[in-house]
Amino acid sequence: MCAGCCYVTRELSEIGAICPCGAAIISHYGGQLVQKVTIFVMDDARTQMARQFIEHLPHCAALGMSLEQIGDGQAEILMPYAEKLIGDPETGVIHGGAISALMDTCAGAAVMSHPRAGISTATLDLRIDYMRAAKPGATITAHAICYHVTRAVAFVRVSATDGASDVPVAAATGAFTVERGAS
Amino acid sequence: MSRSKPEPIQVVKERRDAALAELVARVPYVSFMGFEFERRGDELTGIMPFRPDLIGNPTLPALHGGALAAFLEVTALISLSWSMVWPRIEAGDAGEILPKFPKTIDLTVDYLRSGLPRDAYARAEITRAGRRYASVRVEAWQDNRARPTVQAMGHFLMPDTRPDPVA
């Protein structure tokens, strides 16, 4: 199984295999495959515009998010560690709420970059699984893949990593609205 | 038969409010987001006072979905912790009574309406509180209580409150 988009196929059991979502399998853990994602990158001007847009959303700016990559239904957003984000003062671990906000933003960005999605989107539903505490001091990277779009709904998977382990800090699945302009 | 004289109401209230304030003040992220908690007896209501930096869609404008998710998660966590300390406050337990926070296992957030650029309120209902796991339903509303903005269901891992095992 591809850990990025959860696509299941026997061919993906080998290291180096490429999933249809663009991810390359680089290692195994706990029966699941971890992949290094190669994102189809939009041309610089569009990426720059998307970055400007997302980094200027007030709440994203407040949490210090920065857009790393976007295009073709995928997005990667970073959130550097900051004291104001701490949820457990004893350990310095970031609060889950900040990670939720990061994953929600990243999922929305992935939807907006999908060629078949509309001009804007809103979250319908987001289910977040917190697998482990994030390493204090580490930047959190969220990676989202919009893996299916219907006329009304876009489906997204998101994972958040801290670079300390192959096991993500959190994973989420979401459904987003597809907003069509007046036709 | 004689009953001990009840404590003056002001003393009871002060003890409860001090414990709640201490619980909320412990978390830097909660202060950063500006979340507040009001208490009526043992019932808590979370408040997310509106601030421009909570906006996620400037065009509508609407609150950021992530800010609402965080608000629900914090309300669930504070309510769970509160339910753990409440019996001890009522027993007149003084000193260090604040336990570790529960850990979120998962949270499913259902966005019902777009978040208005106004204050939001939330209440959590602990549907099951086991020794290890708890299930919590939490709902947030804004102007109209009957029209919730967002609701969520979450599972939490409870902190170990048993005394240390004897070696």
Side-chain angles (χ1 to χ4, degrees):
Chain A
M1 188 175 88
C2 169
C5 70
C6 299
Y7 180 76
V8 183
T9 174
R10 193 179 297 272
E11 286 73 51
L12 279 184
S13 60
E14 275 178 35
I15 288 176
I18 308 283
C19 173
C21 77
I25 307 302
I26 54 163
S27 65
H28 298 248
Y29 75 87
Q32 214 192 16
L33 296 160
V34 182
Q35 28 76 334
K36 175 162 177 56
V37 174
T38 36
I39 298 181
F40 175 85
V41 183
M42 285 205 280
D43 60 78
D44 281 353
R46 281 186 67 194
T47 305
Q48 199 58 36
M49 268 180 62
R51 178 176 298 133
Q52 286 279 326
F53 176 73
I54 285 160
E55 290 175 9
H56 281 85
L57 293 178
H59 195 53
C60 303
L63 296 181
M65 294 181 203
S66 66
L67 184 96
E68 190 67 16
Q69 281 184 300
I70 191 164
D72 204 27
Q74 296 194 39
E76 195 171 279
I77 298 182
L78 307 185
M79 184 173 71
Y81 185 79
E83 277 184 16
K84 64 188 176 188
L85 303 182
I86 291 174
D88 182 347
E90 283 171 29
T91 58
V93 169
I94 288 189
H95 197 282
I99 294 175
S100 304
L102 172 68
M103 300 219 288
D104 184 54
T105 305
C106 193
V111 171
M112 286 168 78
S113 80
H114 194 284
R116 290 183 49 224
I119 44 169
S120 166
T121 189
T123 320
L124 281 171
D125 155 282
L126 192 70
R127 181 209 154 101
I128 306 145
D129 292 330
Y130 295 98
M131 278 104 94
R132 62 182 180 86
K135 186 181 158 206
T139 291
I140 308 295
T141 303
H143 180 252
I145 300 173
C146 175
Y147 64 92
H148 187 63
V149 177
T150 70
R151 277 171 56 184
V153 187
F155 298 89
V156 193
R157 287 198 178 86
V158 201
S159 65
T161 54
D162 61 359
S165 157
D166 280 346
V167 181
V169 169
T173 56
F176 285 71
T177 62
V178 170
E179 317 264 345
R180 304 277 180 210
S183 55
Chain B
M1 205 173 87
S2 76
R3 246 196 275 184
S4 60
K5 201 175 151 218
E7 278 184 298
I9 183 164
Q10 222 35 52
V11 174
V12 176
K13 277 192 170 176
E14 274 170 23
R15 186 169 61 227
R16 292 171 177 173
D17 288 338
L20 177 61
E22 205 184 326
L23 191 65
V24 175
R26 274 158 87 200
V27 188
Y29 178 71
V30 174
S31 317
F32 163 64
M33 295 292 285
F35 299 157
E36 297 162 9
F37 286 85
E38 267 187 13
R39 184 190 64 78
R40 295 285 181 272
D42 70 343
E43 185 192 58
L44 297 187
T45 306
I47 304 160
M48 178 165 76
F50 175 72
R51 279 194 333 216
D53 68 1
L54 298 175
I55 290 286
N57 182 332
T59 323
L60 283 174
L63 295 177
H64 194 292
L68 284 165
F71 179 45
L72 293 182
E73 187 181 336
V74 167
T75 303
L77 284 167
I78 296 282
S79 300
L80 268 178
S81 300
W82 181 245
S83 74
M84 290 159 65
V85 295
W86 176 260
R88 299 183 60 181
I89 301 167
E90 293 313 283
D93 206 337
E96 282 295 304
I97 60 168
L98 295 180
K100 286 187 171 180
F101 278 105
K103 285 181 180 157
T104 314
I105 300 168
D106 63 62
L107 188 75
T108 307
V109 189
D110 186 4
Y111 293 90
L112 305 166
R113 294 179 175 84
S114 79
L116 306 168
R118 288 197 265 290
D119 293 0
Y121 314 98
R123 275 189 204 136
E125 178 198 341
I126 300 166
T127 41
R128 180 181 182 268
R131 202 164 50 173
R132 291 180 71 198
Y133 308 109
S135 297
V136 181
R137 212 188 76 78
V138 51
E139 185 177 271
W141 71 97
Q142 295 186 282
D143 292 351
N144 189 338
R145 180 71 177 90
R147 293 168 63 80
T149 308
V150 57
Q151 62 180 359
M153 179 77 220
H155 296 95
F156 298 85
L157 186 64
M158 302 303 282
D160 199 347
T161 49
R162 289 170 303 179
D164 288 334
V166 182

